[in-house]
Short mmCIF file of all heavy atoms in Angstrom, two decimals:
data_model
loop_
_atom_site.label_atom_id
_atom_site.label_comp_id
_atom_site.label_asym_id
_atom_site.label_seq_id
_atom_site.Cartn_x
_atom_site.Cartn_y
_atom_site.Cartn_z
N GLN A 354 0.82 -1.22 0.00
CA GLN A 354 0.00 0.00 -0.01
C GLN A 354 0.84 1.28 0.00
O GLN A 354 0.41 2.30 -0.48
CB GLN A 354 -0.96 -0.01 1.20
CG GLN A 354 -2.07 -1.00 1.10
CD GLN A 354 -2.94 -1.03 2.33
OE1 GLN A 354 -2.53 -0.61 3.41
NE2 GLN A 354 -4.16 -1.56 2.19
N MET A 355 2.07 1.19 0.53
CA MET A 355 2.97 2.35 0.51
C MET A 355 3.16 2.91 -0.90
O MET A 355 3.38 4.09 -1.10
CB MET A 355 4.37 1.98 1.09
CG MET A 355 4.45 1.90 2.55
SD MET A 355 6.16 1.96 3.11
CE MET A 355 6.89 0.61 2.19
N PHE A 356 3.08 2.01 -1.88
CA PHE A 356 3.44 2.37 -3.25
C PHE A 356 2.18 2.64 -4.11
O PHE A 356 2.30 2.78 -5.31
CB PHE A 356 4.32 1.33 -3.89
CG PHE A 356 5.60 1.12 -3.12
CD1 PHE A 356 5.72 0.08 -2.22
CD2 PHE A 356 6.68 1.98 -3.31
CE1 PHE A 356 6.92 -0.08 -1.50
CE2 PHE A 356 7.85 1.82 -2.63
CZ PHE A 356 7.97 0.77 -1.68
N GLU A 357 1.04 2.74 -3.47
CA GLU A 357 -0.16 3.13 -4.20
C GLU A 357 -0.08 4.64 -4.52
O GLU A 357 0.52 5.41 -3.77
CB GLU A 357 -1.40 2.82 -3.35
CG GLU A 357 -1.65 1.33 -3.19
CD GLU A 357 -2.89 1.04 -2.37
OE1 GLU A 357 -3.48 2.02 -1.82
OE2 GLU A 357 -3.25 -0.13 -2.23
N ASN A 358 -0.70 5.03 -5.61
CA ASN A 358 -0.69 6.43 -6.03
C ASN A 358 0.69 6.99 -6.28
O ASN A 358 1.01 8.12 -5.98
CB ASN A 358 -1.39 7.33 -4.96
CG ASN A 358 -2.76 6.84 -4.62
OD1 ASN A 358 -3.60 6.58 -5.50
ND2 ASN A 358 -3.04 6.66 -3.33
N LYS A 359 1.56 6.15 -6.85
CA LYS A 359 2.95 6.54 -7.12
C LYS A 359 3.26 6.52 -8.62
O LYS A 359 4.38 6.19 -9.03
CB LYS A 359 3.90 5.61 -6.34
CG LYS A 359 3.77 5.61 -4.85
CD LYS A 359 4.13 7.01 -4.27
CE LYS A 359 4.05 6.97 -2.76
NZ LYS A 359 2.71 6.76 -2.23
N GLU A 360 2.29 6.93 -9.41
CA GLU A 360 2.49 6.93 -10.85
C GLU A 360 3.57 7.89 -11.29
O GLU A 360 4.17 7.74 -12.37
CB GLU A 360 1.19 7.27 -11.58
CG GLU A 360 0.10 6.21 -11.51
CD GLU A 360 -0.65 6.26 -10.19
OE1 GLU A 360 -0.38 7.18 -9.39
OE2 GLU A 360 -1.54 5.39 -9.98
N SER A 361 3.89 8.90 -10.46
CA SER A 361 4.88 9.91 -10.88
C SER A 361 6.31 9.55 -10.42
O SER A 361 7.25 10.25 -10.77
CB SER A 361 4.52 11.28 -10.29
OG SER A 361 3.24 11.69 -10.78
N VAL A 362 6.47 8.52 -9.61
CA VAL A 362 7.80 8.18 -9.09
C VAL A 362 8.72 7.70 -10.22
O VAL A 362 8.39 6.72 -10.94
CB VAL A 362 7.71 7.11 -7.96
CG1 VAL A 362 9.08 6.58 -7.63
CG2 VAL A 362 7.03 7.69 -6.75
N VAL A 363 9.86 8.37 -10.37
CA VAL A 363 10.86 7.93 -11.38
C VAL A 363 12.10 7.34 -10.72
O VAL A 363 12.88 6.65 -11.39
CB VAL A 363 11.24 9.12 -12.30
CG1 VAL A 363 10.05 9.58 -13.14
CG2 VAL A 363 11.81 10.29 -11.49
N ARG A 364 12.31 7.69 -9.41
CA ARG A 364 13.49 7.13 -8.69
C ARG A 364 13.00 6.51 -7.39
O ARG A 364 12.35 7.16 -6.60
CB ARG A 364 14.52 8.23 -8.42
CG ARG A 364 15.36 8.64 -9.61
CD ARG A 364 16.23 9.82 -9.29
NE ARG A 364 17.03 9.66 -8.07
CZ ARG A 364 18.23 9.04 -8.06
NH1 ARG A 364 18.72 8.53 -9.17
NH2 ARG A 364 18.89 8.92 -6.93
N LEU A 365 13.39 5.23 -7.19
CA LEU A 365 13.06 4.54 -5.95
C LEU A 365 14.33 3.90 -5.38
O LEU A 365 15.01 3.16 -6.06
CB LEU A 365 12.00 3.45 -6.21
CG LEU A 365 11.65 2.56 -5.02
CD1 LEU A 365 10.99 3.41 -3.90
CD2 LEU A 365 10.67 1.44 -5.45
N LEU A 366 14.61 4.24 -4.13
CA LEU A 366 15.77 3.69 -3.43
C LEU A 366 15.27 2.94 -2.19
O LEU A 366 14.66 3.57 -1.29
CB LEU A 366 16.75 4.79 -3.04
CG LEU A 366 17.36 5.63 -4.19
CD1 LEU A 366 16.44 6.84 -4.49
CD2 LEU A 366 18.74 6.12 -3.87
N LEU A 367 15.51 1.65 -2.12
CA LEU A 367 15.04 0.83 -1.04
C LEU A 367 16.20 0.14 -0.32
O LEU A 367 16.93 -0.63 -0.92
CB LEU A 367 14.08 -0.24 -1.55
CG LEU A 367 12.69 0.20 -2.03
CD1 LEU A 367 11.94 -0.97 -2.64
CD2 LEU A 367 11.89 0.86 -0.93
N ASN A 368 16.35 0.46 0.96
CA ASN A 368 17.30 -0.25 1.83
C ASN A 368 16.48 -1.10 2.76
O ASN A 368 15.75 -0.57 3.62
CB ASN A 368 18.19 0.70 2.58
CG ASN A 368 19.25 0.01 3.43
OD1 ASN A 368 19.12 -1.20 3.72
ND2 ASN A 368 20.28 0.73 3.80
N PHE A 369 16.55 -2.42 2.61
CA PHE A 369 15.66 -3.30 3.36
C PHE A 369 16.13 -3.54 4.81
O PHE A 369 15.40 -4.08 5.62
CB PHE A 369 15.50 -4.63 2.65
CG PHE A 369 14.78 -4.50 1.32
CD1 PHE A 369 15.49 -4.39 0.13
CD2 PHE A 369 13.39 -4.45 1.28
CE1 PHE A 369 14.82 -4.26 -1.08
CE2 PHE A 369 12.73 -4.31 0.10
CZ PHE A 369 13.44 -4.22 -1.10
N GLY A 370 17.34 -3.13 5.12
CA GLY A 370 17.84 -3.26 6.49
C GLY A 370 17.80 -4.69 6.99
O GLY A 370 18.27 -5.63 6.34
N ARG A 371 17.13 -4.89 8.12
CA ARG A 371 17.04 -6.22 8.67
C ARG A 371 15.95 -7.08 8.03
O ARG A 371 15.82 -8.26 8.31
CB ARG A 371 16.75 -6.14 10.19
CG ARG A 371 17.87 -5.47 11.01
CD ARG A 371 17.41 -5.30 12.45
NE ARG A 371 16.31 -4.34 12.56
CZ ARG A 371 15.35 -4.43 13.49
NH1 ARG A 371 15.37 -5.43 14.34
NH2 ARG A 371 14.41 -3.53 13.53
N ASP A 372 15.18 -6.48 7.16
CA ASP A 372 14.04 -7.14 6.56
C ASP A 372 14.34 -7.52 5.12
O ASP A 372 13.58 -7.21 4.18
CB ASP A 372 12.82 -6.23 6.63
CG ASP A 372 11.51 -6.99 6.39
OD1 ASP A 372 11.52 -8.25 6.55
OD2 ASP A 372 10.50 -6.35 6.08
N ARG A 373 15.41 -8.27 4.88
CA ARG A 373 15.87 -8.57 3.52
C ARG A 373 14.84 -9.39 2.77
O ARG A 373 14.71 -9.27 1.55
CB ARG A 373 17.20 -9.32 3.59
CG ARG A 373 18.32 -8.51 4.16
CD ARG A 373 19.64 -9.27 4.12
NE ARG A 373 20.70 -8.52 4.75
CZ ARG A 373 21.97 -8.90 4.80
NH1 ARG A 373 22.31 -10.06 4.30
NH2 ARG A 373 22.87 -8.15 5.39
N ARG A 374 14.16 -10.25 3.46
CA ARG A 374 13.17 -11.11 2.75
C ARG A 374 12.08 -10.29 2.08
O ARG A 374 11.44 -10.75 1.12
CB ARG A 374 12.51 -12.09 3.76
CG ARG A 374 13.47 -13.14 4.29
CD ARG A 374 13.79 -14.21 3.26
NE ARG A 374 12.58 -14.88 2.80
CZ ARG A 374 12.57 -15.76 1.82
NH1 ARG A 374 13.70 -16.04 1.14
NH2 ARG A 374 11.47 -16.36 1.43
N ARG A 375 11.88 -9.06 2.54
CA ARG A 375 10.86 -8.21 1.97
C ARG A 375 11.14 -7.91 0.49
O ARG A 375 10.26 -7.60 -0.28
CB ARG A 375 10.77 -6.91 2.74
CG ARG A 375 9.69 -5.98 2.33
CD ARG A 375 8.40 -6.27 3.03
NE ARG A 375 8.50 -6.02 4.45
CZ ARG A 375 7.49 -6.07 5.30
NH1 ARG A 375 6.27 -6.38 4.86
NH2 ARG A 375 7.65 -5.85 6.57
N SER A 376 12.41 -8.03 0.07
CA SER A 376 12.77 -7.73 -1.30
C SER A 376 12.11 -8.68 -2.29
O SER A 376 11.98 -8.39 -3.47
CB SER A 376 14.29 -7.79 -1.48
OG SER A 376 14.84 -9.04 -1.09
N HIS A 377 11.59 -9.82 -1.84
CA HIS A 377 10.86 -10.72 -2.71
C HIS A 377 9.53 -10.11 -3.20
O HIS A 377 8.93 -10.63 -4.12
CB HIS A 377 10.58 -12.04 -1.98
CG HIS A 377 11.79 -12.90 -1.80
ND1 HIS A 377 12.14 -13.94 -2.66
CD2 HIS A 377 12.78 -12.83 -0.88
CE1 HIS A 377 13.27 -14.50 -2.24
NE2 HIS A 377 13.67 -13.84 -1.18
N GLN A 378 9.11 -9.03 -2.54
CA GLN A 378 7.85 -8.37 -2.95
C GLN A 378 8.07 -7.33 -4.04
O GLN A 378 7.13 -6.73 -4.54
CB GLN A 378 7.15 -7.74 -1.77
CG GLN A 378 6.69 -8.72 -0.71
CD GLN A 378 5.82 -8.02 0.33
OE1 GLN A 378 4.98 -7.23 0.03
NE2 GLN A 378 6.11 -8.32 1.61
N VAL A 379 9.33 -7.05 -4.37
CA VAL A 379 9.64 -5.99 -5.36
C VAL A 379 8.91 -6.20 -6.71
O VAL A 379 8.41 -5.27 -7.27
CB VAL A 379 11.15 -5.85 -5.55
CG1 VAL A 379 11.50 -4.99 -6.79
CG2 VAL A 379 11.79 -5.25 -4.30
N PRO A 380 8.88 -7.44 -7.25
CA PRO A 380 8.17 -7.63 -8.53
C PRO A 380 6.73 -7.15 -8.54
O PRO A 380 6.23 -6.68 -9.55
CB PRO A 380 8.26 -9.14 -8.77
CG PRO A 380 9.45 -9.61 -8.01
CD PRO A 380 9.49 -8.70 -6.78
N GLN A 381 6.08 -7.19 -7.37
CA GLN A 381 4.69 -6.78 -7.29
C GLN A 381 4.52 -5.27 -7.37
O GLN A 381 3.41 -4.77 -7.53
CB GLN A 381 4.08 -7.29 -6.00
CG GLN A 381 4.12 -8.81 -5.84
CD GLN A 381 3.65 -9.25 -4.47
OE1 GLN A 381 2.67 -8.77 -3.95
NE2 GLN A 381 4.41 -10.18 -3.85
N LEU A 382 5.63 -4.54 -7.30
CA LEU A 382 5.56 -3.08 -7.35
C LEU A 382 5.55 -2.54 -8.79
O LEU A 382 5.27 -1.37 -9.00
CB LEU A 382 6.75 -2.45 -6.59
CG LEU A 382 6.94 -2.86 -5.12
CD1 LEU A 382 8.15 -2.13 -4.54
CD2 LEU A 382 5.66 -2.55 -4.32
N ALA A 383 5.87 -3.40 -9.73
CA ALA A 383 6.06 -2.92 -11.12
C ALA A 383 4.79 -2.22 -11.65
O ALA A 383 4.89 -1.16 -12.28
CB ALA A 383 6.41 -4.11 -12.03
N ASP A 384 3.61 -2.78 -11.41
CA ASP A 384 2.39 -2.17 -11.92
C ASP A 384 2.06 -0.86 -11.23
O ASP A 384 1.40 0.01 -11.79
CB ASP A 384 1.23 -3.14 -11.77
CG ASP A 384 1.34 -4.34 -12.69
OD1 ASP A 384 2.04 -4.24 -13.70
OD2 ASP A 384 0.71 -5.39 -12.40
N LYS A 385 2.57 -0.70 -9.99
CA LYS A 385 2.27 0.53 -9.25
C LYS A 385 3.23 1.66 -9.62
O LYS A 385 2.98 2.81 -9.28
CB LYS A 385 2.42 0.24 -7.73
CG LYS A 385 1.49 -0.88 -7.21
CD LYS A 385 1.78 -1.12 -5.74
CE LYS A 385 1.03 -2.35 -5.22
NZ LYS A 385 -0.43 -2.18 -5.27
N LEU A 386 4.34 1.33 -10.30
CA LEU A 386 5.37 2.31 -10.61
C LEU A 386 5.65 2.33 -12.10
O LEU A 386 6.74 1.98 -12.57
CB LEU A 386 6.69 2.00 -9.83
CG LEU A 386 6.53 1.92 -8.32
CD1 LEU A 386 7.79 1.31 -7.69
CD2 LEU A 386 6.27 3.31 -7.72
N PRO A 387 4.69 2.77 -12.89
CA PRO A 387 4.85 2.69 -14.36
C PRO A 387 5.91 3.61 -14.93
O PRO A 387 6.38 3.41 -16.06
CB PRO A 387 3.47 3.05 -14.88
CG PRO A 387 2.89 3.92 -13.82
CD PRO A 387 3.40 3.35 -12.51
N SER A 388 6.30 4.67 -14.16
CA SER A 388 7.25 5.63 -14.67
C SER A 388 8.66 5.45 -14.12
O SER A 388 9.54 6.26 -14.38
CB SER A 388 6.77 7.06 -14.32
OG SER A 388 5.48 7.31 -14.79
N LEU A 389 8.87 4.36 -13.35
CA LEU A 389 10.16 4.18 -12.64
C LEU A 389 11.31 4.03 -13.63
O LEU A 389 11.32 3.13 -14.48
CB LEU A 389 10.08 2.94 -11.76
CG LEU A 389 11.26 2.80 -10.78
CD1 LEU A 389 11.20 3.90 -9.72
CD2 LEU A 389 11.24 1.42 -10.13
N GLU A 390 12.32 4.94 -13.48
CA GLU A 390 13.50 4.88 -14.34
C GLU A 390 14.73 4.38 -13.62
O GLU A 390 15.64 3.82 -14.21
CB GLU A 390 13.77 6.28 -14.90
CG GLU A 390 12.67 6.79 -15.84
CD GLU A 390 12.95 8.18 -16.33
OE1 GLU A 390 14.02 8.76 -15.96
OE2 GLU A 390 12.13 8.73 -17.10
#
């Protein structure tokens, strides 16, 4: 839900810290970030 309404985001920087397993959810963000460069 953090990435809802983020059609304008062109740069995303994610440091997962202690929650590395969370990176497995990155593919699900693709539809929410259509402008990501």
Side-chain angles (χ1 to χ4, degrees):
Q354 289 176 340
M355 281 197 305
F356 300 97
E357 293 180 355
N358 305 310
K359 298 297 184 293
E360 289 81 4
S361 299
V362 169
V363 295
R364 284 173 52 84
L365 176 63
L366 300 89
L367 289 175
N368 184 341
F369 293 96
R371 295 174 295 148
D372 196 18
R373 297 183 183 183
R374 292 287 301 174
R375 185 86 65 174
S376 56
H377 288 263
Q378 294 188 46
V379 168
Q381 301 173 44
L382 304 181
D384 291 339
K385 303 177 187 296
L386 303 168
S388 303
L389 191 69
E390 296 178 0

